[in-house]
Amino acid sequence: MADSKYLVGVFDDSDEILHAVEDVRHQGVKIHEVYTPFAIHGLDKALGYAFPRMGVAAFLFGITGTCCALLLTFWTMGVDWPINVGGKNFFPFPTNVPIVFELTVLLASFGMAFTFFFMEDMGPTAKPIIFDVRSTDDKFVMAIDLAQNKLSEAEISKILKGSGALEVNVKEA
């Protein structure tokens, strides 16, 4: 597999990178990814990302936890080992609410974590691409895949410099 060439623009400020993303996308350049040391409000909309669907996964995993907890408590207290305590019914729901709640939260949280790791390819064998080490400290990095764009390297570099990039580098990954 051939290495891809990326044009990497390094920015100094979160507002600059947010406006640069809007400007670069307005010029017709496809951005591979933006790496920041902290979350920037509105960056996902500026990059054109779709609304995340993790809420759907959370709901499905939570409903699975609720059903499993209800089935577990019904089976253990009503079918497998029914105990008549003071004439009460075999499946008293109010006493099972903590169990149902805890299993719902447990399956929803673990399911969302595993779904996130799977969808973002963050498994133990994944090798991250680090375009600039300073992106974890105090710089903001915009990576542009040159193979995905129609404009030349010089034109994209000029657009990045015009948008406020401190430096523009070419990296192979």
Side-chain angles (χ1 to χ4, degrees):
M1 185 170 124
D3 290 341
S4 297
K5 285 179 68 176
Y6 292 91
L7 200 60
V8 178
V10 180
F11 294 83
D12 205 21
D13 187 37
S14 62
D15 291 332
E16 284 180 7
I17 190 101
L18 187 59
H19 295 301
V21 164
E22 294 168 352
D23 186 40
V24 167
R25 286 195 69 218
H26 182 69
Q27 301 279 344
V29 177
K30 294 179 184 173
I31 299 172
H32 172 69
E33 190 61 77
V34 174
Y35 301 93
T36 63
F38 53 84
I40 300 174
H41 181 71
L43 186 60
D44 53 344
K45 289 183 183 176
L47 285 168
Y49 288 158
F51 187 75
R53 295 182 303 238
M54 282 298 282
V56 175
F59 177 75
L60 293 176
F61 284 117
I63 249 344
T64 304
T66 301
C67 292
C68 288
L70 288 172
L71 182 66
L72 171 78
T73 55
F74 173 72
W75 176 259
T76 56
M77 296 180 68
V79 177
D80 188 37
W81 195 270
I83 299 175
N84 189 355
V85 179
K88 296 180 182 175
N89 59 0
F90 292 120
F91 187 65
F93 181 70
T95 59
N96 298 327
V97 168
I99 297 166
V100 171
F101 174 76
E102 292 297 332
L103 201 55
T104 300
V105 171
L106 180 73
L107 283 187
S109 60
F110 278 132
M112 282 181 21
F114 290 131
T115 301
F116 176 75
F117 288 136
F118 176 74
M119 294 304 291
E120 297 299 323
D121 194 27
M122 294 174 60
T125 59
K127 186 176 182 224
I129 301 172
I130 300 174
F131 291 105
D132 197 321
V133 227
R134 297 174 294 174
S135 66
T136 61
D137 187 24
D138 64 344
K139 300 293 183 204
F140 303 87
V141 175
M142 182 189 307
I144 298 171
D145 190 358
L146 292 174
Q148 298 292 325
N149 289 289
K150 296 176 183 173
L151 297 174
S152 69
E153 179 182 327
E155 292 171 328
I156 297 174
S157 179
K158 184 178 177 182
I159 291 171
L160 284 174
K161 286 283 191 182
S163 297
L166 297 175
E167 57 188 70
V168 178
N169 304 317
V170 176
K171 302 272 180 159
E172 290 190 17

